Amino acid sequence: MPSPGSTPAQPGRRPRGRPGHDRAAVLRRAIALFNVQGYDATSVSDLAADLGVTKSAVYHHFASKEDILAAALDEALTELDALVAAAQAASDRSARERLEETVVAAVGILVEHRAAVTLLLRVRGNSAVEQAALARRRHIDAALAALVVEAVDEGDVRADVPAEVISRLVFGMVNSLTDWYEPGGRSGPAALAAAVRGVLFEGLGARSRVS
Amino acid sequence: MPSPGSTPAQPGRRPRGRPGHDRAAVLRRAIALFNVQGYDATSVSDLAADLGVTKSAVYHHFASKEDILAAALDEALTELDALVAAAQAASDRSARERLEETVVAAVGILVEHRAAVTLLLRVRGNSAVEQAALARRRHIDAALAALVVEAVDEGDVRADVPAEVISRLVFGMVNSLTDWYEPGGRSGPAALAAAVRGVLFEGLGARSRVS
């Protein structure tokens, strides 16, 4: 609850740029806590204590804990929506080309927004906010699966595995980055994207021995 | 706590085959609850209520909630340990062959022990039991990565991507099955294993167009 003298939380319209922690910093720390100790186990008091601010400072930026979760999931979903829109827009190019570019771009999103995507991938639908996020995720998954179907239909992706399974395997590999990618590790984002694209589209075989 | 007349829980030696729920059934239901609502949020009372038995019936089989978690993680780890042992034992065959067989066998384990593997993949090291499981998992990951290194050294797996990254991508794809595989779905375990092997080792390209 707002302390005396602070601006009460007003859903839908909150001032920004307050001294101390800005909205983005609060969101970043909240996502980290949700990922480490779980959304249910994290209270706004925990977040405020972690940030070294009062609860009212948190409520200055967000109306509720669920509002923070919604913003966190929106960060990942907005990027993924844009990815899908780009893949669908460039319909003058082959589906295979667009699929390869989508994989590369998805790796970039997972590296840059790793924490938010990790949170999204763990959502199980326990609230209205989570259910809305799952619905958006299903829409994205369906669009990516449709792109694989197109590429199979155009003869550029193997037809001996159901397109739906291919789509799951491709984005299963991409999503696995949230489990193991370490920022600042030996493979930078560009090398990583090239590796994922190469392994997926060319296979693991040594180049000289690919039959 | 055991109710009057029941056999008290004795760590290390517990009778089996008690009327009602056997140990395996209790474990199965516990894993399902841990996966759905989280380990921390699940109490032995929840589990007993879910099974329609008393807490003492649960304690008849397991000394504590942590004992149940240990058994659940052990189910997955025992299978994965055997997978690694098999890959290491057959050293008369090429590393590439053994890697392909390991991928196929891993898909089988993930399909058959999906719930236990899902639980294992979510472990974050919040207790001694979880830390022991993470240590065993690291050992397995290291052995699989060593197999990839061998296959690269033998010239049968591409050398333009670090072997460690290849290993992460391969088992990232395999592990993703825990998120989307539906038992009884259109692709049975054998077809799924063949699909994963094909996509990973040959790539996504249409067969007629593989260069």
Side-chain angles (χ1 to χ4, degrees), chain B residues 2-198:
Chain B
S3 57
S6 77
T7 310
Q10 291 173 13
R13 185 173 167 278
R14 271 175 294 285
R16 302 190 181 191
R18 204 192 203 203
H21 287 81
D22 65 15
R23 190 176 192 273
V26 172
L27 184 58
R28 208 107 325 268
R29 200 60 215 141
I31 294 173
L33 284 180
F34 293 164
N35 279 334
V36 169
Q37 62 192 45
Y39 174 74
D40 291 333
T42 306
S43 65
V44 171
S45 299
D46 292 339
L47 175 59
D50 187 272
L51 287 163
V53 301
T54 60
K55 277 170 70 175
S56 71
V58 173
Y59 284 122
H60 176 74
H61 296 293
F62 296 96
S64 63
K65 186 172 89 157
E66 197 160 41
D67 192 25
I68 303 176
L69 179 64
L73 297 174
D74 190 61
E75 175 186 323
L77 288 163
T78 298
E79 295 288 331
L80 296 171
D81 281 340
L83 179 81
V84 163
Q88 289 173 331
S91 57
D92 52 319
R93 302 209 322 292
S94 76
R96 160 84 180 243
E97 274 182 279
R98 288 180 284 136
L99 182 60
E100 293 200 26
E101 284 163 17
T102 300
V103 165
V104 167
V107 171
I109 291 171
L110 264 73
V111 166
E112 197 177 342
H113 301 273
R114 186 183 159 204
V117 175
T118 300
L119 193 63
L120 174 65
L121 293 176
R122 291 188 190 163
V123 157
R124 293 288 171 266
N126 297 334
S127 65
V129 163
E130 293 197 5
Q131 278 170 20
L134 282 184
R136 284 177 72 184
R137 202 186 147 193
R138 274 193 298 272
H139 177 78
I140 291 162
D141 286 348
L144 295 172
L147 185 58
V148 174
V149 169
E150 261 191 89
V152 172
D153 288 348
E154 291 175 7
D156 290 331
V157 162
R158 58 193 303 154
D160 62 335
V161 176
E164 190 193 332
V165 171
I166 287 183
S167 177
R168 294 291 198 174
L169 293 176
V170 167
F171 295 99
M173 178 186 280
V174 171
N175 289 344
S176 80
L177 295 180
T178 58
D179 287 329
W180 60 267
Y181 178 72
E182 289 172 22
R186 272 184 296 168
S187 293
L192 190 62
V196 173
R197 178 191 206 148

Side-chain angles (χ1 to χ4, degrees), chain A residues 55-197:
Chain A
K55 278 170 71 176
S56 71
V58 174
Y59 285 121
H60 176 74
H61 296 293
F62 296 96
S64 63
K65 187 172 88 158
E66 197 160 40
D67 192 25
I68 303 176
L69 178 65
L73 298 175
D74 191 61
E75 175 186 323
L77 288 163
T78 298
E79 294 289 330
L80 296 170
D81 281 341
L83 178 80
V84 163
Q88 289 172 334
S91 58
D92 52 319
R93 301 208 325 292
S94 76
R96 161 83 181 242
E97 274 182 279
R98 287 181 284 135
L99 182 60
E100 292 200 26
E101 284 164 17
T102 300
V103 164
V104 167
V107 170
I109 292 172
L110 263 74
V111 166
E112 198 177 341
H113 300 273
R114 185 182 161 204
V117 175
T118 299
L119 193 63
L120 174 65
L121 293 176
R122 291 187 189 162
V123 157
R124 293 287 173 267
N126 297 334
S127 65
V129 163
E130 293 198 5
Q131 279 170 20
L134 282 184
R136 284 177 72 184
R137 203 187 147 191
R138 275 194 296 272
H139 177 78
I140 291 162
D141 287 348
L144 296 172
L147 186 57
V148 174
V149 170
E150 261 191 88
V152 173
D153 288 347
E154 290 175 8
D156 291 330
V157 162
R158 58 193 304 154
D160 62 334
V161 176
E164 190 194 332
V165 171
I166 287 183
S167 177
R168 294 292 200 175
L169 294 175
V170 167
F171 294 99
M173 179 185 277
V174 171
N175 290 343
S176 80
L177 295 180
T178 58
D179 287 329
W180 59 268
Y181 178 72
E182 289 172 22
R186 273 184 295 168
S187 294
L192 191 62
V196 173
R197 176 190 208 150

